[in-house]
Amino acid sequence: MKWRLRLMMLFEYAIWGAWYVTVGTWLGKTLHFSGQEIGAIAGTTAIGAMISPLFVGLLADRLFDTRRVLVALHVLGAVLLVVAAQQSSFLVLYAALLAYSLCYMPTLALTTSLAMRHIKDPQEEFGAIRVFGTIGWIVVGLVVGAWGVEATASPLHLAAALSVVMAGYCFTLPSTPPLARHQRFELRHALPLESLHLLRDRSMAVFALASFLICIPLQFYYAFTNLFLNEVGVVNAAGKMTGGQMSEILCMLLIPWFFRRLGVKYMLAVGMLAWVLRYVMFAFGAPGELMWMLWLGIILHGICFDFFFVVGQIYIDREAPSALRAATQGLITFLTYGLGMFVGSWMSGLVVDTYATTGAHDWHAIWLIAGGCAALVLVLFVLMFKDRKGTVGNPVTVTD
């Protein structure tokens, strides 16, 4: 069972990694889109994430087997990726990738909830399963980098092919019927409104707010790092960026160990601190003697992602009632990959255009602005968040 779930994660995240890392380079260097246009297209996934709770809460929790939902979304997504790869006009390309994101982004929460339904102890076991998503991202990044197609539409074609493979593989996954299928359906179930009641708890509300805010500077990384590295002269930028996912593997496997010693609050705080340090490294690093700073900024991705997003998923699984876990994961997806990254897409594009020069950008200023935003979120979180169930020195237990 665990190996079936691991392969699911591998295909799921390979699809995203195939095109999302390098799309900014294709848009900027080949199609000559502006920073705001690049940010807007990168933000299509955010819009998809904002709408995805509709799919997660309604389809997976109440109506259909999760496997069938995944198959349908990935098949339609493959078609839309092929269409997007043929475009050069901003409006048409934006519309195609927006439609694709509406299909793909719900699958992130769906695969997470499916995996957690079929393991006994998510806190101890989920990290070793989710790490295969990171492996998939690494493999596809190395392929794209070695292929030398970062400034072309080929990564979109690769993502489409992987989507077809994922759709076929979903038929092999274990049956995952909706937990709330016997409850009478009401229109309010199409939205995760029931999950909003969890925000009455102060710690959950602070976690949700911090999740939203940290994703604003996060979008600077996803939308513009590959373009930044190519612009400053880093060779095989896509391949080098997989170093961040490689560090994810080690951090993912260490999550249970750190959980027992740090607890939720300090793991989340360390994750946000890593974002601050990463942007400082990018601001002052450069190819040559200072290349080590760029490498460190890339490698910090393991702590940035795992200690905040993966730990956050486990925290939500622990706090939410069993019948609302999928919907609550969807709510957090809405706040992070959705609303937060949507705002971040607009803000990052605006900042990049503000510091644009002829054929280049003032990346020093751009990365310091991103790092300053992350630092403010870190301070807010540390001062306001309290985790009653998992403190330093006390093991975290999984409860409904």
Side-chain angles (χ1 to χ4, degrees):
M1 175 64 70
K2 290 181 182 178
W3 275 107
R4 291 159 70 186
L5 298 175
R6 288 165 183 161
L7 288 176
M8 175 191 70
M9 291 295 183
L10 187 147
F11 290 130
E12 173 71 14
Y13 285 87
I15 295 168
W16 197 3
W19 73 277
Y20 196 65
V21 172
T22 62
V23 69
T25 301
W26 174 49
L27 299 176
K29 285 186 169 291
T30 303
L31 301 184
H32 306 294
F33 285 6
S34 69
Q36 291 187 62
E37 289 174 329
I38 295 172
I41 288 179
T44 57
T45 58
I47 297 176
M50 284 191 280
I51 297 176
S52 69
L54 297 173
F55 293 94
V56 176
L58 173 59
L59 300 182
D61 277 346
R62 298 183 182 277
L63 297 180
F64 301 111
D65 190 307
T66 302
R67 298 174 303 172
R68 296 181 180 179
V69 180
L70 287 170
V71 170
L73 293 176
H74 280 299
V75 169
L76 182 55
V79 174
L80 292 168
L81 282 170
V82 172
V83 171
Q86 313 305 315
Q87 310 306 317
S88 58
S89 165
F90 168 72
L91 289 178
V92 179
L93 179 56
Y94 179 85
L97 286 178
L98 175 59
Y100 168 72
S101 297
L102 294 176
C103 294
Y104 177 78
M105 294 309 290
T107 67
L108 296 175
L110 288 171
T111 50
T112 295
S113 62
L114 186 150
M116 291 189 176
R117 281 272 300 276
H118 295 283
I119 54 180
K120 296 180 179 178
D121 189 346
Q123 177 186 312
E124 294 291 333
E125 301 175 87
F126 181 68
I129 292 171
R130 172 60 181 80
V131 74
F132 275 75
T134 303
I135 293 172
W137 192 293
I138 291 171
V139 171
V140 77
L142 291 173
V143 169
V144 170
W147 199 1
V149 293
E150 294 177 43
T152 74
S154 295
L156 290 170
H157 289 292
L158 177 58
L162 290 169
S163 295
V164 174
V165 173
M166 175 64 173
Y169 182 74
C170 286
F171 286 110
T172 73
L173 295 173
S175 176
T176 311
L179 287 173
R181 62 186 181 277
H182 298 304
Q183 296 181 14
R184 181 181 177 182
F185 172 73
E186 299 177 22
L187 183 60
R188 63 187 177 86
H189 294 152
L191 292 168
L193 299 178
E194 294 161 304
S195 299
L196 292 177
H197 295 301
L198 297 174
L199 299 183
R200 294 176 179 174
D201 177 77
R202 173 180 169 177
S203 292
M204 181 66 75
V206 171
F207 168 74
L209 177 62
S211 297
F212 159 67
L213 292 175
I214 198 63
C215 283
I216 296 175
L218 165 64
Q219 188 67 326
F220 282 78
Y221 175 78
Y222 282 131
F224 293 103
T225 298
N226 191 261
L227 177 61
F228 156 66
L229 294 176
N230 277 283
E231 200 169 278
V232 299
V234 174
V235 179
N236 188 12
K240 287 183 171 63
M241 285 180 68
T242 63
Q245 279 69 46
M246 293 178 187
S247 71
E248 266 193 57
I249 296 177
L250 176 61
C251 293
M252 194 87 68
L253 297 175
L254 290 175
I255 281 178
W257 188 87
F258 279 106
F259 239 130
R260 289 189 289 269
R261 288 157 179 80
L262 296 181
V264 168
K265 177 176 181 176
Y266 291 100
M267 288 191 74
L268 294 173
V270 169
M272 287 185 279
L273 176 61
W275 283 110
V276 179
L277 296 177
R278 150 178 276 173
Y279 289 137
V280 171
M281 294 298 104
F282 282 175
F284 293 97
E289 293 183 358
L290 296 179
M291 185 65 197
W292 67 270
M293 298 184 77
L294 298 182
W295 269 117
L296 181 57
I298 291 171
I299 292 172
L300 278 170
H301 183 73
I303 299 176
C304 293
F305 187 86
D306 294 345
F307 277 41
F308 194 87
F309 290 99
V310 177
V311 170
Q313 288 174 333
I314 297 173
Y315 175 68
I316 290 300
D317 189 73
R318 189 189 76 184
E319 296 293 324
S322 58
L324 292 178
R325 284 173 182 167
T328 307
Q329 294 287 359
L331 175 62
I332 296 302
T333 298
F334 171 87
L335 292 172
T336 55
Y337 291 111
L339 189 60
M341 294 188 73
F342 178 77
V343 175
S345 297
W346 170 81
M347 180 176 173
S348 63
L350 183 63
V351 170
V352 167
D353 276 348
T354 299
Y355 290 94
T357 58
T358 304
H361 298 84
D362 182 359
W363 292 108
H364 176 81
I366 292 169
W367 293 126
L368 286 182
I369 290 172
C373 292
L376 289 175
V377 180
L378 170 62
V379 172
L380 172 70
F381 177 80
V382 170
L383 292 177
M384 298 183 65
F385 182 84
K386 293 183 179 180
D387 179 40
R388 298 181 301 275
K389 298 179 182 177
T391 56
V392 176
N394 295 319
V396 179
T397 57
V398 179
T399 61
D400 287 345

